[in-house]
Amino acid sequence: NSDDSYPIRTLGELGSRARDVLAANDIGTMVTAAPNLYPHMWSWDAAFVATGLSTVSVARALQELDYLVAAQWKSGMIPHIVFSDVPGYFPDVDRWGTRGVSPEGVQSSGICQPPVHATMLRRIVERATAAGGEDARLAEDFTRRTLPHWIDWHAWLRSARGGDGSGLLTIYHGWESGMDNSPRFDGPYSRVQPGDMEPFVRTDTLKVTDHSQRPSDEEYSRYLWLVQQMADVGFDDARLPGVMSFQVKDVFMSAIFAAASEDLAVLAEQFGLPEETPQLRQWAREFRDGVDATVDAETGLARDRDVLAGEWIGPPTIAGFAPLVSTADQALLDRQLEIFEGPDWTGDPRLAFPLPASTSTTYEGLKPRQYWRGPVWPVMNWYLAHCLRRRGDGKRYGQLREASLAQLMEGHFGEYYEPFTGEPLGSMDQSWTAAVALEWLA
Ligand code: 2M8
């Protein structure tokens, strides 16, 4: 870590450093989400990591998805954390209280995360098919073998979290959204009143020593209270609506589900389960429509809904761009792109790089250094760009690529970045940041 290793000088060097990060975070069974802060497998991280890994080794990429799918619950849920044996992360499996509920031999949390998996698997399959030979064979075998599991996962989301016909998935914890402390959840969390629970000691603040980059203690006590509420009913899907004090229709997760259901339909058609495609396409349509229907006519942004309060959620966050992921409505897409490129988002001239921050940079609640309250997340930049490229928008993909590579050349593979200075924040050598660097370079 001599000072002359930063910034990185060439794209070739960026690629080789990104591969080194993934190799260093690989503990054999899994690539941990980050070396210190997150020594386990996270569900949506693993999907992004797999696509990054597939630029190096298709076999290793599929192994990552295999390890995740092996942790799938009987219900069909894919848990948000699969624990390794590395100590030091809180809440650990004991605090989750999932032993005896999760499948035998699996140590996992008891909630889910956004279903980007089918989209990333489709990407890996396309890459492997183009390469041909052994890679193509491996990807085909893997997809044929695991398709029923991914379909079960989508069926669980649709029935346990989206069975009300709204075309929107419910989350019972901000962690399920992947955007833990986003201002999206301030309203719903303000109504969560932690009751009696075992005391706890956080470990994240031992690792990210500037505490202002992480959620507050007050937020954490609510996070842990929700875990306890779920554990008290044995993580029984049927009982959660009756007991949980946090219930949000997550618009961004719903858009991801719509897009991934379409991708899963393509895979099912190609790899031997064509009879499943009408159902998958039906879910894609239902959730695409559900997401479109949340758009605020005034702001043009999609909105989450606080189920218990019966209210739309207002703050302008990156989740407002859910239609970029899923919509089929050209006028809505055009309006969203105009906002995306306007002065409240990537067109803000104060930005270090023209990339979307996690909340609008003109939002009064913006916290440019704090986690999901303002920083720019490299993984989000690539995911949104990938969605645009899928629509045939190579130009915008190229612009986001250029800005993202310029951002990443500082060399630390930060978990997130300060929007105006480009300073890397949170964990360094974060796996999904390295993975998307490889995708940008592929
Ligand atoms: C962050 O979330 C975890 C809890 O799940 C944490 O703060 O301990 C989020 O950024 C989430 O989206 C991500 O999957 C996880 C691992 O990178 O870290």
Side-chain angles (χ1 to χ4, degrees):
N1 188 1
S2 68
D3 283 336
D4 65 358
S5 37
Y6 302 97
I8 293 174
R9 285 181 214 90
T10 65
L11 292 182
E13 199 186 328
L14 179 67
S16 85
R17 296 259 291 264
R19 286 189 288 276
D20 289 349
V21 166
L22 292 182
N25 293 348
D26 189 343
I27 58 170
T29 47
M30 63 173 73
V31 175
T32 60
N36 253 315
L37 186 59
Y38 306 123
H40 308 292
M41 174 183 272
W42 263 260
S43 168
W44 74 331
D45 298 56
F48 289 114
V49 165
T51 190
L53 281 172
S54 73
T55 66
V56 183
S57 158
V58 168
R60 184 63 191 81
L62 298 173
Q63 187 194 322
E64 202 65 12
L65 291 177
D66 230 351
Y67 198 78
L68 178 66
V69 100
Q72 184 169 34
W73 286 25
K74 220 168 64 224
S75 61
M77 184 185 79
I78 292 183
H80 107 296
I81 301 175
V82 186
F83 290 101
S84 70
D85 292 324
V86 181
Y89 178 81
F90 180 83
D92 60 8
V93 65
D94 292 322
R95 183 68 184 216
W96 270 99
T98 45
R99 287 188 207 278
V101 189
S102 59
E104 179 127 10
V106 167
Q107 300 188 47
S108 79
S109 69
I111 56 170
C112 67
Q113 264 189 335
V116 289
H117 315 85
T119 298
M120 295 307 125
L121 177 57
R122 182 177 172 195
R123 170 115 190 107
I124 294 167
V125 165
E126 284 172 356
R127 174 168 287 135
T129 307
E134 177 71 357
D135 281 354
R137 197 187 56 73
L138 282 174
E140 171 165 357
D141 288 353
F142 176 84
T143 308
R144 286 187 189 278
R145 177 166 58 80
T146 59
L147 260 177
H149 295 284
W150 304 118
I151 294 171
D152 282 355
W153 161 227
H154 280 228
W156 175 81
L157 283 162
R158 169 63 177 72
S159 69
R161 302 304 189 84
D164 61 352
S166 63
L168 296 169
L169 298 173
T170 303
I171 56 170
Y172 294 113
H173 199 300
W175 282 338
E176 297 202 296
S177 74
M179 302 187 190
D180 312 3
N181 74 335
S182 167
R184 300 163 70 183
F185 307 125
D186 285 356
Y189 272 128
S190 72
R191 289 179 274 279
V192 173
Q193 297 296 338
D196 275 345
M197 64 178 162
E198 236 185 278
F200 62 88
V201 180
R202 293 172 65 175
T203 52
D204 59 318
T205 40
L206 302 175
K207 294 168 185 180
V208 179
T209 47
D210 173 1
H211 296 181
S212 66
Q213 294 174 30
R214 291 287 305 174
S216 67
D217 284 343
E218 219 190 341
E219 285 169 320
Y220 254 77
S221 69
R222 294 187 165 123
Y223 299 168
L224 269 300
W225 176 242
L226 296 179
V227 169
Q228 176 142 335
Q229 286 192 308
M230 292 178 204
D232 284 348
V233 296
F235 300 91
D236 178 349
D237 290 325
R239 295 181 65 190
L240 296 178
V243 299
M244 296 305 295
S245 55
F246 176 105
Q247 304 191 24
V248 171
K249 287 288 180 190
D250 179 331
V251 75
F252 200 70
M253 190 196 249
S254 302
I256 288 171
F257 179 70
S261 293
E262 181 61 39
D263 291 322
L264 199 48
V266 169
L267 292 172
E269 204 153 58
Q270 201 179 345
F271 296 109
L273 288 176
E275 64 278 15
E276 299 285 352
T277 60
Q279 178 66 89
L280 291 164
R281 294 220 153 93
Q282 159 59 27
W283 293 339
R285 269 193 307 276
E286 183 184 335
F287 284 76
R288 193 160 71 209
D289 292 348
V291 169
D292 286 2
T294 70
V295 173
D296 181 343
E298 212 165 293
T299 65
L301 294 176
R303 290 171 296 177
D304 303 297
R305 196 164 170 84
D306 183 336
V307 175
L308 297 177
E311 284 170 5
W312 291 110
I313 293 176
T317 73
I318 196 166
F321 292 107
L324 292 186
V325 175
S326 61
T327 195
D329 175 341
Q330 187 62 44
L332 174 56
L333 181 65
D334 290 345
R335 171 132 199 244
Q336 283 246 310
L337 286 169
E338 197 185 315
I339 301 166
F340 188 75
E341 290 173 346
D344 299 325
W345 294 92
T346 62
D348 184 333
R350 298 170 300 159
L351 287 171
F353 305 99
L355 294 168
S358 41
T359 69
S360 162
T361 46
T362 56
Y363 169 54
E364 72 276 11
L366 173 82
K367 293 262 176 0
R369 303 174 65 80
Q370 199 190 42
Y371 205 43
W372 287 96
R373 290 184 180 277
V376 171
W377 286 71
V379 70
M380 284 294 106
N381 301 336
W382 180 76
Y383 178 66
L384 289 175
H386 175 70
C387 294
L388 294 174
R389 178 173 53 180
R390 262 286 145 79
R391 297 176 178 283
D393 193 343
K395 180 168 148 257
R396 287 196 177 83
Y397 180 85
Q399 290 164 344
L400 290 166
R401 175 178 187 273
E402 193 187 323
S404 292
L405 287 172
Q407 177 182 61
L408 293 172
M409 290 304 270
E410 63 74 32
H412 290 87
F413 301 97
E415 186 182 7
Y416 40 94
Y417 285 81
E418 213 277 356
F420 308 117
T421 64
E423 183 191 351
L425 300 169
S427 164
M428 302 300 132
D429 294 336
Q430 177 88 7
S431 292
W432 66 9
T433 305
V436 300
L438 293 174
E439 270 289 353
W440 288 123
L441 292 170

PDB file of all heavy atoms in Angstrom, residues 33 38 42 44-45 80 89 113 175 178 180 214 220 371-372 377 430 432, ligand 1:
ATOM      1  N   ALA A  33     -18.440 -10.377   0.994  1.00  0.00           N
ATOM      2  CA  ALA A  33     -18.860  -9.093   0.423  1.00  0.00           C
ATOM      3  C   ALA A  33     -17.792  -8.008   0.598  1.00  0.00           C
ATOM      4  O   ALA A  33     -17.660  -7.116  -0.235  1.00  0.00           O
ATOM      5  CB  ALA A  33     -20.183  -8.643   1.048  1.00  0.00           C
ATOM      6  N   TYR A  38     -17.785  -7.054   6.108  1.00  0.00           N
ATOM      7  CA  TYR A  38     -18.811  -8.035   5.697  1.00  0.00           C
ATOM      8  C   TYR A  38     -18.179  -9.393   5.352  1.00  0.00           C
ATOM      9  O   TYR A  38     -18.073  -9.738   4.168  1.00  0.00           O
ATOM     10  CB  TYR A  38     -19.557  -7.522   4.469  1.00  0.00           C
ATOM     11  CG  TYR A  38     -20.176  -6.142   4.583  1.00  0.00           C
ATOM     12  CD1 TYR A  38     -19.830  -5.141   3.669  1.00  0.00           C
ATOM     13  CD2 TYR A  38     -21.126  -5.843   5.559  1.00  0.00           C
ATOM     14  CE1 TYR A  38     -20.413  -3.874   3.735  1.00  0.00           C
ATOM     15  CE2 TYR A  38     -21.704  -4.579   5.629  1.00  0.00           C
ATOM     16  CZ  TYR A  38     -21.344  -3.598   4.718  1.00  0.00           C
ATOM     17  OH  TYR A  38     -21.920  -2.358   4.768  1.00  0.00           O
ATOM     18  N   TRP A  42     -23.546 -12.058   0.871  1.00  0.00           N
ATOM     19  CA  TRP A  42     -24.847 -11.374   0.802  1.00  0.00           C
ATOM     20  C   TRP A  42     -25.495 -11.730  -0.525  1.00  0.00           C
ATOM     21  O   TRP A  42     -24.813 -11.830  -1.556  1.00  0.00           O
ATOM     22  CB  TRP A  42     -24.654  -9.857   0.899  1.00  0.00           C
ATOM     23  CG  TRP A  42     -24.862  -9.314   2.279  1.00  0.00           C
ATOM     24  CD1 TRP A  42     -25.968  -8.697   2.762  1.00  0.00           C
ATOM     25  CD2 TRP A  42     -23.929  -9.362   3.375  1.00  0.00           C
ATOM     26  NE1 TRP A  42     -25.781  -8.360   4.096  1.00  0.00           N
ATOM     27  CE2 TRP A  42     -24.552  -8.764   4.492  1.00  0.00           C
ATOM     28  CE3 TRP A  42     -22.638  -9.878   3.528  1.00  0.00           C
ATOM     29  CZ2 TRP A  42     -23.923  -8.644   5.737  1.00  0.00           C
ATOM     30  CZ3 TRP A  42     -22.015  -9.763   4.760  1.00  0.00           C
ATOM     31  CH2 TRP A  42     -22.660  -9.157   5.848  1.00  0.00           C
ATOM     32  N   TRP A  44     -27.610 -10.262  -2.846  1.00  0.00           N
ATOM     33  CA  TRP A  44     -27.491  -9.525  -4.119  1.00  0.00           C
ATOM     34  C   TRP A  44     -26.047  -9.204  -4.444  1.00  0.00           C
ATOM     35  O   TRP A  44     -25.667  -9.139  -5.607  1.00  0.00           O
ATOM     36  CB  TRP A  44     -28.461  -8.365  -4.251  1.00  0.00           C
ATOM     37  CG  TRP A  44     -28.294  -7.089  -3.503  1.00  0.00           C
ATOM     38  CD1 TRP A  44     -27.702  -6.887  -2.297  1.00  0.00           C
ATOM     39  CD2 TRP A  44     -28.782  -5.793  -3.935  1.00  0.00           C
ATOM     40  NE1 TRP A  44     -27.813  -5.563  -1.936  1.00  0.00           N
ATOM     41  CE2 TRP A  44     -28.465  -4.870  -2.922  1.00  0.00           C
ATOM     42  CE3 TRP A  44     -29.464  -5.342  -5.061  1.00  0.00           C
ATOM     43  CZ2 TRP A  44     -28.799  -3.506  -3.008  1.00  0.00           C
ATOM     44  CZ3 TRP A  44     -29.804  -3.984  -5.148  1.00  0.00           C
ATOM     45  CH2 TRP A  44     -29.469  -3.081  -4.132  1.00  0.00           C
ATOM     46  N   ASP A  45     -25.191  -9.061  -3.422  1.00  0.00           N
ATOM     47  CA  ASP A  45     -23.755  -8.918  -3.693  1.00  0.00           C
ATOM     48  C   ASP A  45     -23.256 -10.119  -4.487  1.00  0.00           C
ATOM     49  O   ASP A  45     -22.498  -9.979  -5.449  1.00  0.00           O
ATOM     50  CB  ASP A  45     -22.940  -8.849  -2.393  1.00  0.00           C
ATOM     51  CG  ASP A  45     -23.282  -7.656  -1.516  1.00  0.00           C
ATOM     52  OD1 ASP A  45     -24.464  -7.510  -1.169  1.00  0.00           O
ATOM     53  OD2 ASP A  45     -22.370  -6.881  -1.170  1.00  0.00           O
ATOM     54  N   HIS A  80     -30.806 -13.349   2.841  1.00  0.00           N
ATOM     55  CA  HIS A  80     -29.966 -12.201   2.484  1.00  0.00           C
ATOM     56  C   HIS A  80     -28.517 -12.361   2.903  1.00  0.00           C
ATOM     57  O   HIS A  80     -27.637 -11.806   2.262  1.00  0.00           O
ATOM     58  CB  HIS A  80     -30.608 -10.896   2.949  1.00  0.00           C
ATOM     59  CG  HIS A  80     -30.026 -10.182   4.126  1.00  0.00           C
ATOM     60  ND1 HIS A  80     -30.016 -10.723   5.407  1.00  0.00           N
ATOM     61  CD2 HIS A  80     -29.473  -8.949   4.234  1.00  0.00           C
ATOM     62  CE1 HIS A  80     -29.478  -9.824   6.242  1.00  0.00           C
ATOM     63  NE2 HIS A  80     -29.148  -8.757   5.553  1.00  0.00           N
ATOM     64  N   TYR A  89     -19.051 -10.247  12.594  1.00  0.00           N
ATOM     65  CA  TYR A  89     -20.155  -9.455  12.044  1.00  0.00           C
ATOM     66  C   TYR A  89     -21.365  -9.572  12.965  1.00  0.00           C
ATOM     67  O   TYR A  89     -21.700 -10.661  13.433  1.00  0.00           O
ATOM     68  CB  TYR A  89     -20.542  -9.943  10.645  1.00  0.00           C
ATOM     69  CG  TYR A  89     -21.720  -9.172  10.049  1.00  0.00           C
ATOM     70  CD1 TYR A  89     -21.529  -7.929   9.457  1.00  0.00           C
ATOM     71  CD2 TYR A  89     -23.011  -9.689  10.118  1.00  0.00           C
ATOM     72  CE1 TYR A  89     -22.602  -7.214   8.936  1.00  0.00           C
ATOM     73  CE2 TYR A  89     -24.100  -8.974   9.600  1.00  0.00           C
ATOM     74  CZ  TYR A  89     -23.885  -7.743   9.015  1.00  0.00           C
ATOM     75  OH  TYR A  89     -24.946  -7.039   8.508  1.00  0.00           O
ATOM     76  N   GLN A 113     -33.253 -10.250  -0.061  1.00  0.00           N
ATOM     77  CA  GLN A 113     -32.724  -9.030  -0.697  1.00  0.00           C
ATOM     78  C   GLN A 113     -33.203  -8.973  -2.151  1.00  0.00           C
ATOM     79  O   GLN A 113     -33.779  -9.943  -2.648  1.00  0.00           O
ATOM     80  CB  GLN A 113     -31.184  -9.049  -0.665  1.00  0.00           C
ATOM     81  CG  GLN A 113     -30.592  -8.283   0.506  1.00  0.00           C
ATOM     82  CD  GLN A 113     -29.090  -8.131   0.408  1.00  0.00           C
ATOM     83  OE1 GLN A 113     -28.413  -8.925  -0.229  1.00  0.00           O
ATOM     84  NE2 GLN A 113     -28.557  -7.110   1.068  1.00  0.00           N
ATOM     85  N   TRP A 175     -33.256  -3.683   5.583  1.00  0.00           N
ATOM     86  CA  TRP A 175     -32.160  -4.499   5.052  1.00  0.00           C
ATOM     87  C   TRP A 175     -32.597  -5.282   3.820  1.00  0.00           C
ATOM     88  O   TRP A 175     -31.767  -5.649   2.993  1.00  0.00           O
ATOM     89  CB  TRP A 175     -31.641  -5.477   6.119  1.00  0.00           C
ATOM     90  CG  TRP A 175     -30.747  -4.842   7.134  1.00  0.00           C
ATOM     91  CD1 TRP A 175     -30.041  -3.683   7.011  1.00  0.00           C
ATOM     92  CD2 TRP A 175     -30.433  -5.354   8.450  1.00  0.00           C
ATOM     93  NE1 TRP A 175     -29.314  -3.442   8.157  1.00  0.00           N
ATOM     94  CE2 TRP A 175     -29.533  -4.439   9.046  1.00  0.00           C
ATOM     95  CE3 TRP A 175     -30.822  -6.487   9.171  1.00  0.00           C
ATOM     96  CZ2 TRP A 175     -29.022  -4.625  10.335  1.00  0.00           C
ATOM     97  CZ3 TRP A 175     -30.310  -6.678  10.450  1.00  0.00           C
ATOM     98  CH2 TRP A 175     -29.420  -5.753  11.027  1.00  0.00           C
ATOM     99  N   GLY A 178     -31.789  -3.573   0.609  1.00  0.00           N
ATOM    100  CA  GLY A 178     -30.371  -3.369   0.301  1.00  0.00           C
ATOM    101  C   GLY A 178     -29.931  -1.928   0.513  1.00  0.00           C
ATOM    102  O   GLY A 178     -28.752  -1.622   0.434  1.00  0.00           O
ATOM    103  N   ASP A 180     -30.373   0.055   3.269  1.00  0.00           N
ATOM    104  CA  ASP A 180     -30.713   0.047   4.693  1.00  0.00           C
ATOM    105  C   ASP A 180     -31.272   1.338   5.298  1.00  0.00           C
ATOM    106  O   ASP A 180     -32.363   1.366   5.828  1.00  0.00           O
ATOM    107  CB  ASP A 180     -29.481  -0.357   5.510  1.00  0.00           C
ATOM    108  CG  ASP A 180     -28.793  -1.602   4.962  1.00  0.00           C
ATOM    109  OD1 ASP A 180     -29.227  -2.129   3.926  1.00  0.00           O
ATOM    110  OD2 ASP A 180     -27.820  -2.041   5.582  1.00  0.00           O
ATOM    111  N   ARG A 214     -21.912   5.534   8.797  1.00  0.00           N
ATOM    112  CA  ARG A 214     -22.765   4.350   9.029  1.00  0.00           C
ATOM    113  C   ARG A 214     -24.103   4.797   9.647  1.00  0.00           C
ATOM    114  O   ARG A 214     -24.237   5.918  10.108  1.00  0.00           O
ATOM    115  CB  ARG A 214     -22.055   3.374   9.997  1.00  0.00           C
ATOM    116  CG  ARG A 214     -20.829   2.682   9.430  1.00  0.00           C
ATOM    117  CD  ARG A 214     -21.137   1.590   8.408  1.00  0.00           C
ATOM    118  NE  ARG A 214     -22.057   0.570   8.896  1.00  0.00           N
ATOM    119  CZ  ARG A 214     -22.550  -0.400   8.129  1.00  0.00           C
ATOM    120  NH1 ARG A 214     -22.214  -0.499   6.860  1.00  0.00           N
ATOM    121  NH2 ARG A 214     -23.387  -1.274   8.627  1.00  0.00           N
ATOM    122  N   TYR A 220     -30.011   1.341  14.448  1.00  0.00           N
ATOM    123  CA  TYR A 220     -29.676  -0.067  14.699  1.00  0.00           C
ATOM    124  C   TYR A 220     -30.625  -0.730  15.677  1.00  0.00           C
ATOM    125  O   TYR A 220     -30.957  -1.901  15.534  1.00  0.00           O
ATOM    126  CB  TYR A 220     -28.202  -0.236  15.130  1.00  0.00           C
ATOM    127  CG  TYR A 220     -27.379  -0.822  14.000  1.00  0.00           C
ATOM    128  CD1 TYR A 220     -26.986  -0.026  12.930  1.00  0.00           C
ATOM    129  CD2 TYR A 220     -27.062  -2.178  13.960  1.00  0.00           C
ATOM    130  CE1 TYR A 220     -26.283  -0.557  11.866  1.00  0.00           C
ATOM    131  CE2 TYR A 220     -26.358  -2.726  12.895  1.00  0.00           C
ATOM    132  CZ  TYR A 220     -25.966  -1.907  11.849  1.00  0.00           C
ATOM    133  OH  TYR A 220     -25.282  -2.456  10.784  1.00  0.00           O
ATOM    134  N   TYR A 371     -23.543   6.597   3.888  1.00  0.00           N
ATOM    135  CA  TYR A 371     -24.137   5.323   3.504  1.00  0.00           C
ATOM    136  C   TYR A 371     -25.204   5.520   2.426  1.00  0.00           C
ATOM    137  O   TYR A 371     -24.915   6.112   1.393  1.00  0.00           O
ATOM    138  CB  TYR A 371     -24.670   4.709   4.800  1.00  0.00           C
ATOM    139  CG  TYR A 371     -24.811   3.220   4.855  1.00  0.00           C
ATOM    140  CD1 TYR A 371     -23.850   2.358   4.355  1.00  0.00           C
ATOM    141  CD2 TYR A 371     -25.918   2.659   5.475  1.00  0.00           C
ATOM    142  CE1 TYR A 371     -24.001   0.988   4.467  1.00  0.00           C
ATOM    143  CE2 TYR A 371     -26.075   1.291   5.593  1.00  0.00           C
ATOM    144  CZ  TYR A 371     -25.116   0.454   5.078  1.00  0.00           C
ATOM    145  OH  TYR A 371     -25.290  -0.892   5.194  1.00  0.00           O
ATOM    146  N   TRP A 372     -26.443   5.113   2.643  1.00  0.00           N
ATOM    147  CA  TRP A 372     -27.461   5.230   1.596  1.00  0.00           C
ATOM    148  C   TRP A 372     -28.203   6.570   1.652  1.00  0.00           C
ATOM    149  O   TRP A 372     -29.264   6.731   1.060  1.00  0.00           O
ATOM    150  CB  TRP A 372     -28.449   4.061   1.692  1.00  0.00           C
ATOM    151  CG  TRP A 372     -27.834   2.760   1.230  1.00  0.00           C
ATOM    152  CD1 TRP A 372     -27.269   1.796   2.028  1.00  0.00           C
ATOM    153  CD2 TRP A 372     -27.695   2.285  -0.113  1.00  0.00           C
ATOM    154  NE1 TRP A 372     -26.788   0.757   1.256  1.00  0.00           N
ATOM    155  CE2 TRP A 372     -27.042   1.027  -0.056  1.00  0.00           C
ATOM    156  CE3 TRP A 372     -28.049   2.790  -1.371  1.00  0.00           C
ATOM    157  CZ2 TRP A 372     -26.752   0.274  -1.208  1.00  0.00           C
ATOM    158  CZ3 TRP A 372     -27.753   2.035  -2.505  1.00  0.00           C
ATOM    159  CH2 TRP A 372     -27.114   0.797  -2.407  1.00  0.00           C
ATOM    160  N   TRP A 377     -23.021   4.961  -5.261  1.00  0.00           N
ATOM    161  CA  TRP A 377     -22.714   3.524  -5.114  1.00  0.00           C
ATOM    162  C   TRP A 377     -22.337   2.937  -6.469  1.00  0.00           C
ATOM    163  O   TRP A 377     -23.212   2.806  -7.350  1.00  0.00           O
ATOM    164  CB  TRP A 377     -23.930   2.792  -4.524  1.00  0.00           C
ATOM    165  CG  TRP A 377     -24.124   3.073  -3.065  1.00  0.00           C
ATOM    166  CD1 TRP A 377     -24.548   4.239  -2.505  1.00  0.00           C
ATOM    167  CD2 TRP A 377     -23.868   2.171  -1.963  1.00  0.00           C
ATOM    168  NE1 TRP A 377     -24.573   4.119  -1.124  1.00  0.00           N
ATOM    169  CE2 TRP A 377     -24.169   2.854  -0.769  1.00  0.00           C
ATOM    170  CE3 TRP A 377     -23.418   0.847  -1.876  1.00  0.00           C
ATOM    171  CZ2 TRP A 377     -24.035   2.270   0.490  1.00  0.00           C
ATOM    172  CZ3 TRP A 377     -23.281   0.262  -0.626  1.00  0.00           C
ATOM    173  CH2 TRP A 377     -23.583   0.971   0.538  1.00  0.00           C
ATOM    174  N   GLN A 430     -14.310  -3.461  -1.496  1.00  0.00           N
ATOM    175  CA  GLN A 430     -15.651  -4.056  -1.487  1.00  0.00           C
ATOM    176  C   GLN A 430     -15.798  -4.923  -2.747  1.00  0.00           C
ATOM    177  O   GLN A 430     -15.537  -4.479  -3.868  1.00  0.00           O
ATOM    178  CB  GLN A 430     -16.677  -2.919  -1.472  1.00  0.00           C
ATOM    179  CG  GLN A 430     -18.117  -3.338  -1.521  1.00  0.00           C
ATOM    180  CD  GLN A 430     -18.713  -3.608  -0.138  1.00  0.00           C
ATOM    181  OE1 GLN A 430     -18.071  -3.351   0.894  1.00  0.00           O
ATOM    182  NE2 GLN A 430     -19.922  -4.136  -0.118  1.00  0.00           N
ATOM    183  N   TRP A 432     -18.369  -6.133  -4.578  1.00  0.00           N
ATOM    184  CA  TRP A 432     -19.219  -5.812  -5.733  1.00  0.00           C
ATOM    185  C   TRP A 432     -18.695  -4.604  -6.492  1.00  0.00           C
ATOM    186  O   TRP A 432     -18.964  -4.451  -7.677  1.00  0.00           O
ATOM    187  CB  TRP A 432     -20.705  -5.749  -5.376  1.00  0.00           C
ATOM    188  CG  TRP A 432     -21.192  -4.665  -4.441  1.00  0.00           C
ATOM    189  CD1 TRP A 432     -20.518  -3.584  -3.952  1.00  0.00           C
ATOM    190  CD2 TRP A 432     -22.530  -4.574  -3.909  1.00  0.00           C
ATOM    191  NE1 TRP A 432     -21.336  -2.838  -3.144  1.00  0.00           N
ATOM    192  CE2 TRP A 432     -22.578  -3.414  -3.103  1.00  0.00           C
ATOM    193  CE3 TRP A 432     -23.680  -5.339  -4.058  1.00  0.00           C
ATOM    194  CZ2 TRP A 432     -23.744  -3.015  -2.424  1.00  0.00           C
ATOM    195  CZ3 TRP A 432     -24.839  -4.936  -3.386  1.00  0.00           C
ATOM    196  CH2 TRP A 432     -24.870  -3.794  -2.577  1.00  0.00           C
TER     197      TRP A 432
HETATM  198  C1  2M8 B   1     -25.190  -3.370   3.521  1.00  0.00           C
HETATM  199  O1  2M8 B   1     -26.085  -4.011   4.415  1.00  0.00           O
HETATM  200  C2  2M8 B   1     -25.705  -4.817   5.547  1.00  0.00           C
HETATM  201  C3  2M8 B   1     -26.967  -5.443   6.121  1.00  0.00           C
HETATM  202  O2  2M8 B   1     -27.554  -6.302   5.187  1.00  0.00           O
HETATM  203  C4  2M8 B   1     -25.011  -4.088   6.668  1.00  0.00           C
HETATM  204  O3  2M8 B   1     -24.931  -2.852   6.663  1.00  0.00           O
HETATM  205  O4  2M8 B   1     -24.537  -4.759   7.592  1.00  0.00           O
HETATM  206  C5  2M8 B   1     -26.034  -2.859   2.334  1.00  0.00           C
HETATM  207  O5  2M8 B   1     -25.302  -1.942   1.558  1.00  0.00           O
HETATM  208  C6  2M8 B   1     -26.501  -4.025   1.472  1.00  0.00           C
HETATM  209  O6  2M8 B   1     -27.137  -3.570   0.312  1.00  0.00           O
HETATM  210  C7  2M8 B   1     -25.332  -4.934   1.079  1.00  0.00           C
HETATM  211  O7  2M8 B   1     -25.839  -6.064   0.434  1.00  0.00           O
HETATM  212  C8  2M8 B   1     -24.503  -5.347   2.304  1.00  0.00           C
HETATM  213  C9  2M8 B   1     -23.216  -6.083   1.918  1.00  0.00           C
HETATM  214  O8  2M8 B   1     -22.492  -5.346   0.955  1.00  0.00           O
HETATM  215  O9  2M8 B   1     -24.141  -4.207   3.080  1.00  0.00           O
END
